[in-house]
Amino acid sequence: MWVGILHFLFLTNPLAKIVRHKIAETVVPTIVGLYFLILDVWGDEFDFIKDNLEDHKKVFFILVSFTVALLFYRGVGDFLDSKRIDDMLKLFSSLFFSIENIIGVKKSRFSETIATLDSVDDTFERITHPKKQIKAIISQANRHFVEILQLKRDAFDFTIMRKNPITDDWYYLLSDKAWQHTEPSILLEQNSSAAHCLRTGEKLFLPDKKFAAKNGEYYLSERDKRNDCLGSVFCKSYNIKTPTGKEQFIVTITTYGVSLCGRHDRRVIDSVESMLGEFALRIELELILFSLKEWLRTQKEIQEAAKEAEKKARKEAKQRQNTKNV
């Protein structure tokens, strides 16, 4: 919270942008220097200076004080900006390491499975495990949040909601935490981030839940209220087409009691959103594989049911024929 306030005071508010502009950096010291030069060199020659020397001293003192304050203000801003850059470099370095580990988990499973294949019939079923891979992604994201962002393990959560293609009811396909979550039906009926993403099909990152709730963009859960409504949320919906329809999912990454960044610094917001988007992108790939496996499983069940029905029909026809012959 305090970091966000400091960034706003020294980096992102309109005054800070003016002070940190190259023109201000050049013009203000130049004016003070020229004024001092005029007083020092031509002070005894011009009547308007000699006759008002005390006033000019006061003006010069004010200009010098203003310049010192300006340089101090800019110095604090430069320090915060350099620290922010260092934090972003550390953040993305950790992100790349996490992604490398995510890919490594999948690569290891593929390599181990390929070495033990003895037929081609169940190759896809054996080699792809979307839920396991999603859990591996969430595990790496947990490490990223805990080690780099210094968050407690219960300060964030990942959830994936799925729409049942048969009943059209939404349910939680996966969740990082075992605690009670707000029912999907309630979320999608309210002004929630999930409802917004489902309606627009766009991703959404809200750095400040409390502010977003006031603007009708977020639904505050009981857990949010127990954490003073502090936190950030990233949400994205997915519509994955299959040969016979589509699968729908909503991925949500949320923090409780602490925000990932302030809502004033656009560069930091974009960086954090990009980081969360990388994890969501890896999850999306697994959801595509999950959808394909579900479609194949359904088609297999339909084929088996058709075979059973055909077998039963032949058996009944044979029984009728035998009865007729008797």
CSV table of all heavy atoms in Angstrom, one decimal, residues 186-236:
chain,number,residue,atom,x,y,z
A,186,ILE,N,-23.5,-17.6,-8.1
A,186,ILE,CA,-23.6,-16.2,-7.5
A,186,ILE,C,-22.7,-15.3,-8.2
A,186,ILE,O,-23.1,-14.1,-8.5
A,186,ILE,CB,-23.3,-16.4,-6.0
A,186,ILE,CG1,-24.3,-17.2,-5.3
A,186,ILE,CG2,-23.2,-15.0,-5.3
A,186,ILE,CD1,-24.0,-17.5,-3.8
A,187,LEU,N,-21.5,-15.7,-8.4
A,187,LEU,CA,-20.5,-14.8,-9.1
A,187,LEU,C,-21.0,-14.3,-10.4
A,187,LEU,O,-20.8,-13.1,-10.7
A,187,LEU,CB,-19.1,-15.6,-9.3
A,187,LEU,CG,-18.3,-15.7,-8.0
A,187,LEU,CD1,-17.0,-16.6,-8.4
A,187,LEU,CD2,-17.8,-14.4,-7.4
A,188,LEU,N,-21.5,-15.2,-11.2
A,188,LEU,CA,-21.9,-14.9,-12.6
A,188,LEU,C,-23.2,-14.1,-12.6
A,188,LEU,O,-23.5,-13.5,-13.7
A,188,LEU,CB,-22.0,-16.1,-13.4
A,188,LEU,CG,-20.7,-16.9,-13.6
A,188,LEU,CD1,-20.9,-18.2,-14.4
A,188,LEU,CD2,-19.7,-16.1,-14.2
A,189,GLU,N,-23.9,-14.0,-11.5
A,189,GLU,CA,-25.1,-13.2,-11.4
A,189,GLU,C,-24.8,-11.8,-10.9
A,189,GLU,O,-25.7,-10.9,-11.0
A,189,GLU,CB,-26.2,-13.8,-10.5
A,189,GLU,CG,-26.8,-15.1,-11.1
A,189,GLU,CD,-27.7,-15.8,-10.1
A,189,GLU,OE1,-27.7,-15.3,-9.0
A,189,GLU,OE2,-28.2,-16.9,-10.5
A,190,GLN,N,-23.6,-11.6,-10.4
A,190,GLN,CA,-23.2,-10.3,-9.8
A,190,GLN,C,-22.3,-9.5,-10.7
A,190,GLN,O,-21.9,-10.0,-11.8
A,190,GLN,CB,-22.5,-10.5,-8.4
A,190,GLN,CG,-23.3,-11.3,-7.4
A,190,GLN,CD,-24.5,-10.6,-7.0
A,190,GLN,OE1,-24.6,-9.4,-6.9
A,190,GLN,NE2,-25.6,-11.4,-6.6
A,191,ASN,N,-22.0,-8.3,-10.3
A,191,ASN,CA,-21.0,-7.5,-11.1
A,191,ASN,C,-19.6,-8.0,-10.6
A,191,ASN,O,-18.8,-7.3,-9.9
A,191,ASN,CB,-21.1,-6.0,-10.7
A,191,ASN,CG,-22.4,-5.4,-11.3
A,191,ASN,OD1,-22.8,-5.9,-12.4
A,191,ASN,ND2,-23.0,-4.5,-10.6
A,192,SER,N,-19.2,-9.1,-11.1
A,192,SER,CA,-17.9,-9.7,-10.7
A,192,SER,C,-17.0,-9.7,-11.9
A,192,SER,O,-17.4,-9.5,-13.1
A,192,SER,CB,-18.1,-11.2,-10.3
A,192,SER,OG,-18.6,-12.0,-11.4
A,193,SER,N,-15.7,-9.9,-11.6
A,193,SER,CA,-14.7,-10.0,-12.7
A,193,SER,C,-15.0,-11.2,-13.6
A,193,SER,O,-14.8,-11.1,-14.8
A,193,SER,CB,-13.3,-10.1,-12.1
A,193,SER,OG,-13.2,-11.2,-11.2
A,194,ALA,N,-15.4,-12.3,-13.0
A,194,ALA,CA,-15.7,-13.5,-13.8
A,194,ALA,C,-16.9,-13.2,-14.8
A,194,ALA,O,-16.8,-13.6,-16.0
A,194,ALA,CB,-16.1,-14.6,-12.9
A,195,ALA,N,-17.9,-12.5,-14.3
A,195,ALA,CA,-19.1,-12.2,-15.2
A,195,ALA,C,-18.7,-11.2,-16.3
A,195,ALA,O,-19.1,-11.4,-17.4
A,195,ALA,CB,-20.2,-11.6,-14.3
A,196,HIS,N,-17.8,-10.3,-15.9
A,196,HIS,CA,-17.3,-9.3,-16.9
A,196,HIS,C,-16.5,-10.1,-18.0
A,196,HIS,O,-16.7,-9.8,-19.2
A,196,HIS,CB,-16.4,-8.3,-16.3
A,196,HIS,CG,-15.7,-7.4,-17.2
A,196,HIS,ND1,-16.4,-6.2,-17.7
A,196,HIS,CD2,-14.5,-7.4,-17.8
A,196,HIS,CE1,-15.5,-5.6,-18.6
A,196,HIS,NE2,-14.4,-6.3,-18.6
A,197,CYS,N,-15.6,-11.0,-17.6
A,197,CYS,CA,-14.8,-11.7,-18.6
A,197,CYS,C,-15.6,-12.6,-19.5
A,197,CYS,O,-15.4,-12.7,-20.7
A,197,CYS,CB,-13.7,-12.5,-17.9
A,197,CYS,SG,-12.4,-11.5,-17.2
A,198,LEU,N,-16.6,-13.2,-18.9
A,198,LEU,CA,-17.5,-14.1,-19.6
A,198,LEU,C,-18.3,-13.3,-20.7
A,198,LEU,O,-18.5,-13.8,-21.8
A,198,LEU,CB,-18.4,-14.9,-18.7
A,198,LEU,CG,-19.3,-15.9,-19.3
A,198,LEU,CD1,-18.5,-17.1,-19.9
A,198,LEU,CD2,-20.3,-16.5,-18.3
A,199,ARG,N,-18.7,-12.2,-20.3
A,199,ARG,CA,-19.6,-11.3,-21.1
A,199,ARG,C,-18.8,-10.7,-22.3
A,199,ARG,O,-19.2,-10.7,-23.4
A,199,ARG,CB,-20.2,-10.2,-20.3
A,199,ARG,CG,-21.2,-9.3,-21.1
A,199,ARG,CD,-21.9,-8.4,-20.1
A,199,ARG,NE,-21.0,-7.5,-19.4
A,199,ARG,CZ,-20.7,-7.6,-18.1
A,199,ARG,NH1,-21.3,-8.6,-17.4
A,199,ARG,NH2,-19.9,-6.7,-17.5
A,200,THR,N,-17.5,-10.3,-22.0
A,200,THR,CA,-16.7,-9.6,-23.0
A,200,THR,C,-15.8,-10.5,-23.7
A,200,THR,O,-15.3,-10.2,-24.9
A,200,THR,CB,-15.9,-8.4,-22.4
A,200,THR,OG1,-15.0,-9.0,-21.4
A,200,THR,CG2,-16.9,-7.5,-21.6
A,201,GLY,N,-15.4,-11.6,-23.1
A,201,GLY,CA,-14.4,-12.5,-23.7
A,201,GLY,C,-13.0,-11.9,-23.6
A,201,GLY,O,-12.0,-12.5,-24.2
A,202,GLU,N,-12.8,-10.9,-22.8
A,202,GLU,CA,-11.5,-10.2,-22.6
A,202,GLU,C,-10.9,-10.5,-21.3
A,202,GLU,O,-11.6,-10.8,-20.3
A,202,GLU,CB,-11.6,-8.7,-22.8
A,202,GLU,CG,-12.1,-8.3,-24.2
A,202,GLU,CD,-12.4,-6.8,-24.3
A,202,GLU,OE1,-12.3,-6.1,-23.2
A,202,GLU,OE2,-12.7,-6.3,-25.4
A,203,LYS,N,-9.6,-10.5,-21.2
A,203,LYS,CA,-8.9,-10.7,-19.9
A,203,LYS,C,-9.1,-9.4,-19.1
A,203,LYS,O,-9.3,-8.3,-19.6
A,203,LYS,CB,-7.5,-11.0,-20.0
A,203,LYS,CG,-6.6,-9.9,-20.6
A,203,LYS,CD,-5.1,-10.4,-20.7
A,203,LYS,CE,-4.3,-9.3,-21.3
A,203,LYS,NZ,-2.9,-9.7,-21.4
A,204,LEU,N,-9.0,-9.5,-17.8
A,204,LEU,CA,-9.2,-8.3,-16.9
A,204,LEU,C,-8.2,-8.4,-15.7
A,204,LEU,O,-8.1,-9.5,-15.1
A,204,LEU,CB,-10.6,-8.3,-16.4
A,204,LEU,CG,-11.0,-7.2,-15.4
A,204,LEU,CD1,-11.1,-5.9,-16.2
A,204,LEU,CD2,-12.4,-7.5,-14.8
A,205,PHE,N,-7.5,-7.3,-15.5
A,205,PHE,CA,-6.7,-7.2,-14.3
A,205,PHE,C,-7.1,-6.0,-13.5
A,205,PHE,O,-7.1,-4.9,-14.0
A,205,PHE,CB,-5.2,-7.2,-14.7
A,205,PHE,CG,-4.3,-6.9,-13.5
A,205,PHE,CD1,-4.3,-7.8,-12.4
A,205,PHE,CD2,-3.4,-5.8,-13.4
A,205,PHE,CE1,-3.5,-7.6,-11.3
A,205,PHE,CE2,-2.6,-5.6,-12.3
A,205,PHE,CZ,-2.6,-6.5,-11.2
A,206,LEU,N,-7.4,-6.3,-12.2
A,206,LEU,CA,-7.8,-5.2,-11.3
A,206,LEU,C,-6.9,-5.1,-10.2
A,206,LEU,O,-6.9,-6.0,-9.3
A,206,LEU,CB,-9.3,-5.5,-10.8
A,206,LEU,CG,-10.3,-5.6,-11.9
A,206,LEU,CD1,-11.6,-6.1,-11.2
A,206,LEU,CD2,-10.6,-4.3,-12.6
A,207,PRO,N,-6.0,-4.1,-10.1
A,207,PRO,CA,-5.0,-4.1,-9.1
A,207,PRO,C,-5.5,-3.8,-7.7
A,207,PRO,O,-4.9,-4.1,-6.7
A,207,PRO,CB,-4.0,-2.9,-9.5
A,207,PRO,CG,-4.8,-2.1,-10.5
A,207,PRO,CD,-5.8,-3.1,-11.1
A,208,ASP,N,-6.7,-3.1,-7.6
A,208,ASP,CA,-7.3,-2.7,-6.4
A,208,ASP,C,-8.7,-3.2,-6.3
A,208,ASP,O,-9.6,-2.6,-6.9
A,208,ASP,CB,-7.2,-1.2,-6.2
A,208,ASP,CG,-7.7,-0.7,-4.9
A,208,ASP,OD1,-8.4,-1.4,-4.2
A,208,ASP,OD2,-7.3,0.4,-4.5
A,209,LYS,N,-9.0,-4.3,-5.5
A,209,LYS,CA,-10.3,-4.9,-5.5
A,209,LYS,C,-11.4,-3.9,-4.9
A,209,LYS,O,-12.5,-3.8,-5.4
A,209,LYS,CB,-10.3,-6.1,-4.6
A,209,LYS,CG,-9.7,-7.3,-5.2
A,209,LYS,CD,-9.8,-8.5,-4.2
A,209,LYS,CE,-9.2,-9.7,-4.7
A,209,LYS,NZ,-9.3,-10.8,-3.7
A,210,LYS,N,-11.0,-3.2,-3.9
A,210,LYS,CA,-11.9,-2.2,-3.2
A,210,LYS,C,-12.4,-1.2,-4.2
A,210,LYS,O,-13.6,-0.9,-4.3
A,210,LYS,CB,-11.3,-1.6,-2.0
A,210,LYS,CG,-12.2,-0.7,-1.2
A,210,LYS,CD,-11.5,-0.1,0.0
A,210,LYS,CE,-11.1,-1.1,1.0
A,210,LYS,NZ,-10.5,-0.4,2.3
A,211,PHE,N,-11.4,-0.6,-4.9
A,211,PHE,CA,-11.8,0.4,-5.9
A,211,PHE,C,-12.6,-0.2,-7.0
A,211,PHE,O,-13.6,0.4,-7.5
A,211,PHE,CB,-10.5,1.0,-6.5
A,211,PHE,CG,-10.7,2.1,-7.5
A,211,PHE,CD1,-11.0,3.4,-7.1
A,211,PHE,CD2,-10.6,1.8,-8.9
A,211,PHE,CE1,-11.2,4.4,-8.0
A,211,PHE,CE2,-10.8,2.8,-9.8
A,211,PHE,CZ,-11.1,4.1,-9.4
A,212,ALA,N,-12.3,-1.4,-7.5
A,212,ALA,CA,-13.0,-2.1,-8.5
A,212,ALA,C,-14.4,-2.4,-8.1
A,212,ALA,O,-15.4,-2.3,-8.9
A,212,ALA,CB,-12.3,-3.4,-8.9
A,213,ALA,N,-14.6,-2.8,-6.8
A,213,ALA,CA,-15.9,-3.1,-6.3
A,213,ALA,C,-16.8,-1.8,-6.3
A,213,ALA,O,-18.0,-1.9,-6.6
A,213,ALA,CB,-15.8,-3.6,-4.9
A,214,LYS,N,-16.2,-0.7,-6.0
A,214,LYS,CA,-17.0,0.6,-6.0
A,214,LYS,C,-17.4,0.9,-7.4
A,214,LYS,O,-18.5,1.6,-7.6
A,214,LYS,CB,-16.1,1.7,-5.4
A,214,LYS,CG,-15.9,1.6,-3.9
A,214,LYS,CD,-15.0,2.8,-3.4
A,214,LYS,CE,-14.8,2.6,-1.9
A,214,LYS,NZ,-13.9,3.7,-1.4
A,215,ASN,N,-16.6,0.5,-8.4
A,215,ASN,CA,-17.0,0.8,-9.8
A,215,ASN,C,-17.8,-0.3,-10.5
A,215,ASN,O,-18.0,-0.3,-11.7
A,215,ASN,CB,-15.7,1.0,-10.6
A,215,ASN,CG,-15.0,2.3,-10.3
A,215,ASN,OD1,-15.6,3.2,-9.7
A,215,ASN,ND2,-13.7,2.4,-10.6
A,216,GLY,N,-18.2,-1.3,-9.6
A,216,GLY,CA,-19.1,-2.3,-10.2
A,216,GLY,C,-18.4,-3.3,-11.0
A,216,GLY,O,-19.0,-4.0,-11.9
A,217,GLU,N,-17.0,-3.5,-10.8
A,217,GLU,CA,-16.3,-4.4,-11.6
A,217,GLU,C,-15.9,-5.7,-10.8
A,217,GLU,O,-15.3,-6.6,-11.4
A,217,GLU,CB,-15.0,-3.8,-12.1
A,217,GLU,CG,-15.2,-2.6,-13.0
A,217,GLU,CD,-13.9,-1.9,-13.4
A,217,GLU,OE1,-13.2,-1.5,-12.5
A,217,GLU,OE2,-13.7,-1.8,-14.6
A,218,TYR,N,-16.1,-5.7,-9.5
A,218,TYR,CA,-15.7,-6.9,-8.7
A,218,TYR,C,-16.7,-7.1,-7.6
A,218,TYR,O,-17.3,-6.2,-7.1
A,218,TYR,CB,-14.3,-6.6,-8.1
A,218,TYR,CG,-13.8,-7.7,-7.3
A,218,TYR,CD1,-13.2,-8.8,-8.0
A,218,TYR,CD2,-13.8,-7.7,-5.9
A,218,TYR,CE1,-12.7,-9.9,-7.2
A,218,TYR,CE2,-13.3,-8.8,-5.2
A,218,TYR,CZ,-12.8,-9.9,-5.9
A,218,TYR,OH,-12.3,-10.9,-5.2
A,219,TYR,N,-17.0,-8.4,-7.4
A,219,TYR,CA,-17.9,-8.8,-6.3
A,219,TYR,C,-17.0,-9.2,-5.1
A,219,TYR,O,-16.2,-10.1,-5.1
A,219,TYR,CB,-18.7,-10.0,-6.8
A,219,TYR,CG,-19.6,-10.6,-5.7
A,219,TYR,CD1,-20.7,-10.0,-5.3
A,219,TYR,CD2,-19.2,-11.8,-5.1
A,219,TYR,CE1,-21.5,-10.5,-4.3
A,219,TYR,CE2,-20.0,-12.4,-4.1
A,219,TYR,CZ,-21.2,-11.7,-3.7
A,219,TYR,OH,-22.0,-12.3,-2.7
A,220,LEU,N,-17.2,-8.5,-4.0
A,220,LEU,CA,-16.5,-8.8,-2.8
A,220,LEU,C,-17.0,-10.0,-2.0
A,220,LEU,O,-18.2,-10.0,-1.6
A,220,LEU,CB,-16.5,-7.6,-1.8
A,220,LEU,CG,-15.7,-6.3,-2.3
A,220,LEU,CD1,-16.0,-5.1,-1.5
A,220,LEU,CD2,-14.2,-6.6,-2.3
A,221,SER,N,-16.2,-11.0,-1.9
A,221,SER,CA,-16.6,-12.3,-1.2
A,221,SER,C,-16.5,-12.1,0.3
A,221,SER,O,-15.9,-11.1,0.8
A,221,SER,CB,-15.8,-13.4,-1.6
A,221,SER,OG,-14.4,-13.3,-1.2
A,222,GLU,N,-16.9,-13.0,1.1
A,222,GLU,CA,-16.8,-13.0,2.5
A,222,GLU,C,-15.3,-13.0,2.9
A,222,GLU,O,-14.9,-12.3,3.9
A,222,GLU,CB,-17.5,-14.2,3.2
A,222,GLU,CG,-19.0,-14.1,3.1
A,222,GLU,CD,-19.6,-12.8,3.7
A,222,GLU,OE1,-19.1,-12.4,4.8
A,222,GLU,OE2,-20.4,-12.2,3.1
A,223,ARG,N,-14.5,-13.7,2.2
A,223,ARG,CA,-13.0,-13.8,2.4
A,223,ARG,C,-12.4,-12.4,2.2
A,223,ARG,O,-11.5,-11.9,2.9
A,223,ARG,CB,-12.4,-14.8,1.6
A,223,ARG,CG,-10.9,-15.0,1.8
A,223,ARG,CD,-10.3,-16.2,1.1
A,223,ARG,NE,-10.9,-17.4,1.6
A,223,ARG,CZ,-10.5,-18.0,2.7
A,223,ARG,NH1,-9.5,-17.6,3.4
A,223,ARG,NH2,-11.1,-19.1,3.1
A,224,ASP,N,-12.9,-11.7,1.1
A,224,ASP,CA,-12.4,-10.4,0.8
A,224,ASP,C,-12.7,-9.4,2.0
A,224,ASP,O,-11.9,-8.7,2.4
A,224,ASP,CB,-13.1,-9.8,-0.5
A,224,ASP,CG,-12.5,-10.4,-1.7
A,224,ASP,OD1,-11.3,-10.5,-1.8
A,224,ASP,OD2,-13.3,-10.8,-2.6
A,225,LYS,N,-13.9,-9.5,2.5
A,225,LYS,CA,-14.3,-8.7,3.6
A,225,LYS,C,-13.5,-8.9,4.9
A,225,LYS,O,-13.2,-8.0,5.6
A,225,LYS,CB,-15.8,-8.8,3.8
A,225,LYS,CG,-16.7,-8.3,2.7
A,225,LYS,CD,-18.2,-8.7,2.9
A,225,LYS,CE,-19.0,-8.3,1.6
A,225,LYS,NZ,-20.4,-8.7,1.7
A,226,ARG,N,-13.2,-10.2,5.1
A,226,ARG,CA,-12.3,-10.5,6.3
A,226,ARG,C,-10.9,-10.0,6.1
A,226,ARG,O,-10.2,-9.9,7.1
A,226,ARG,CB,-12.3,-12.0,6.5
A,226,ARG,CG,-13.6,-12.6,6.9
A,226,ARG,CD,-13.4,-14.0,7.5
A,226,ARG,NE,-12.9,-15.0,6.5
A,226,ARG,CZ,-13.7,-15.7,5.7
A,226,ARG,NH1,-15.0,-15.6,5.8
A,226,ARG,NH2,-13.2,-16.5,4.9
A,227,ASN,N,-10.5,-9.7,4.9
A,227,ASN,CA,-9.2,-9.1,4.6
A,227,ASN,C,-9.2,-7.7,4.2
A,227,ASN,O,-8.4,-7.2,3.4
A,227,ASN,CB,-8.5,-10.0,3.5
A,227,ASN,CG,-8.1,-11.3,4.0
A,227,ASN,OD1,-7.0,-11.5,4.5
A,227,ASN,ND2,-8.9,-12.3,3.7
A,228,ASP,N,-10.2,-6.9,4.8
A,228,ASP,CA,-10.4,-5.5,4.6
A,228,ASP,C,-10.5,-5.1,3.1
A,228,ASP,O,-10.2,-4.0,2.7
A,228,ASP,CB,-9.1,-4.7,5.1
A,228,ASP,CG,-9.0,-5.0,6.6
A,228,ASP,OD1,-10.1,-5.0,7.3
A,228,ASP,OD2,-7.9,-5.1,7.1
A,229,CYS,N,-11.0,-6.1,2.3
A,229,CYS,CA,-11.3,-5.8,0.9
A,229,CYS,C,-10.0,-5.4,0.1
A,229,CYS,O,-10.1,-4.8,-1.0
A,229,CYS,CB,-12.3,-4.7,0.7
A,229,CYS,SG,-13.9,-5.1,1.6
A,230,LEU,N,-8.9,-5.8,0.6
A,230,LEU,CA,-7.6,-5.5,-0.1
A,230,LEU,C,-7.2,-6.7,-1.0
A,230,LEU,O,-7.4,-7.8,-0.6
A,230,LEU,CB,-6.5,-5.2,1.0
A,230,LEU,CG,-6.7,-4.1,1.9
A,230,LEU,CD1,-5.5,-4.0,2.9
A,230,LEU,CD2,-6.8,-2.8,1.1
A,231,GLY,N,-6.6,-6.3,-2.1
A,231,GLY,CA,-6.1,-7.4,-3.0
A,231,GLY,C,-6.2,-7.0,-4.4
A,231,GLY,O,-6.8,-6.0,-4.8
A,232,SER,N,-5.7,-7.9,-5.3
A,232,SER,CA,-5.8,-7.8,-6.7
A,232,SER,C,-6.4,-9.0,-7.3
A,232,SER,O,-6.4,-10.1,-6.7
A,232,SER,CB,-4.4,-7.5,-7.3
A,232,SER,OG,-3.8,-6.4,-6.7
A,233,VAL,N,-6.9,-8.9,-8.6
A,233,VAL,CA,-7.5,-10.0,-9.2
A,233,VAL,C,-7.2,-10.0,-10.7
A,233,VAL,O,-7.3,-8.9,-11.4
A,233,VAL,CB,-9.0,-10.1,-9.0
A,233,VAL,CG1,-9.7,-8.9,-9.5
A,233,VAL,CG2,-9.6,-11.4,-9.6
A,234,PHE,N,-6.8,-11.2,-11.3
A,234,PHE,CA,-6.7,-11.3,-12.7
A,234,PHE,C,-7.7,-12.4,-13.2
A,234,PHE,O,-7.8,-13.5,-12.5
A,234,PHE,CB,-5.2,-11.8,-13.0
A,234,PHE,CG,-5.0,-12.1,-14.5
A,234,PHE,CD1,-4.6,-11.2,-15.4
A,234,PHE,CD2,-5.3,-13.4,-15.0
A,234,PHE,CE1,-4.4,-11.5,-16.7
A,234,PHE,CE2,-5.1,-13.7,-16.3
A,234,PHE,CZ,-4.6,-12.8,-17.2
A,235,CYS,N,-8.4,-12.1,-14.2
A,235,CYS,CA,-9.4,-13.1,-14.7
A,235,CYS,C,-9.4,-13.1,-16.2
A,235,CYS,O,-9.2,-12.1,-16.9
A,235,CYS,CB,-10.8,-12.6,-14.2
A,235,CYS,SG,-12.1,-13.8,-14.3
A,236,LYS,N,-9.7,-14.3,-16.7
A,236,LYS,CA,-9.7,-14.5,-18.2
A,236,LYS,C,-10.7,-15.7,-18.5
A,236,LYS,O,-10.6,-16.7,-17.8
A,236,LYS,CB,-8.4,-14.8,-18.8
A,236,LYS,CG,-8.4,-14.7,-20.3
A,236,LYS,CD,-7.0,-14.7,-20.8
A,236,LYS,CE,-6.9,-14.4,-22.3
A,236,LYS,NZ,-7.9,-14.9,-23.2
